Amino acid sequence: MSRSGSELTVSKLRNQLDTVVKDHRPDVVALALSGEFSEDTLECRGRTYLVRRARSVLEFHDHLDQAAGRPLLCLTELDSRELGLDLRCRLHKRRVISVDPWETVKHLFDCRNIESSLLRLGHL
């Protein structure tokens, strides 16, 4: 999770989205992220995702309606349990996804494992 009030950069968000979608082509992805993202769209794996912040379930529904079938990336601090079954069924992996920073590192460097001594170093 990003720190509240921090700015999400295009490269950070793209890397996290790329880690999550891998070879899939989901229409709706929900990432558990705080922080602000100043762009309206994000290119990832040849698709242009609309990027919206969902602070409530109602706002989430609004974003889905406005996307009108275009790929949507919702950044939210909502928990999957707060979303109704109707929303979860439309999400990639049927839930709000928390991105493990170490998974992003593994994806970026195309490696299978992270040295266990590095995992204990939270500041990295």
Side-chain angles (χ1 to χ4, degrees), residues 7-19 37 39 42-44 104 108:
E7 182 78 18
L8 295 169
T9 65
V10 170
S11 62
K12 279 184 193 176
L13 191 54
R14 183 180 294 120
N15 288 334
Q16 291 186 347
L17 180 59
D18 193 53
T19 299
F37 186 68
E39 305 293 322
L42 181 71
E43 296 286 331
C44 183
T104 303
L108 286 172

Side-chain angles (χ1 to χ4, degrees), residues 3-118:
R3 289 199 172 115
S4 184
S6 64
E7 182 78 18
L8 295 169
T9 65
V10 170
S11 62
K12 279 184 193 176
L13 191 54
R14 183 180 294 120
N15 288 334
Q16 291 186 347
L17 180 59
D18 193 53
T19 299
V20 169
V21 299
K22 298 180 182 161
D23 294 329
H24 299 86
R25 294 182 53 84
D27 290 324
V28 183
V29 178
L31 294 181
L33 291 171
S34 60
E36 294 304 315
F37 186 68
S38 59
E39 305 293 322
D40 289 336
T41 60
L42 181 71
E43 296 286 331
C44 183
R45 293 192 176 256
R47 298 188 88 190
T48 302
Y49 286 84
L50 297 174
V51 180
R52 301 293 184 264
R53 165 103 14 228
R55 292 174 183 84
S56 69
V57 174
L58 183 59
E59 199 171 26
F60 211 114
H61 277 285
D62 249 4
H63 295 321
L64 282 167
D65 289 342
Q66 292 171 6
R70 294 176 288 177
L72 174 66
L73 170 60
C74 264
L75 308 177
T76 187
E77 292 181 39
L78 296 171
D79 186 85
S80 294
R81 294 173 298 216
E82 296 176 75
L83 306 177
L85 185 58
D86 60 325
L87 279 179
R88 288 195 315 262
C89 285
R90 297 177 73 181
L91 299 178
H92 180 55
K93 298 189 177 185
R94 307 294 186 242
R95 62 186 168 84
V96 176
I97 301 167
S98 297
V99 181
D100 177 5
W102 289 112
E103 285 300 315
T104 303
V105 170
K106 285 176 16 183
H107 179 73
L108 286 172
F109 292 98
D110 197 27
C111 61
R112 288 186 213 135
N113 299 308
I114 301 288
E115 172 62 40
S116 60
S117 62
L118 292 175

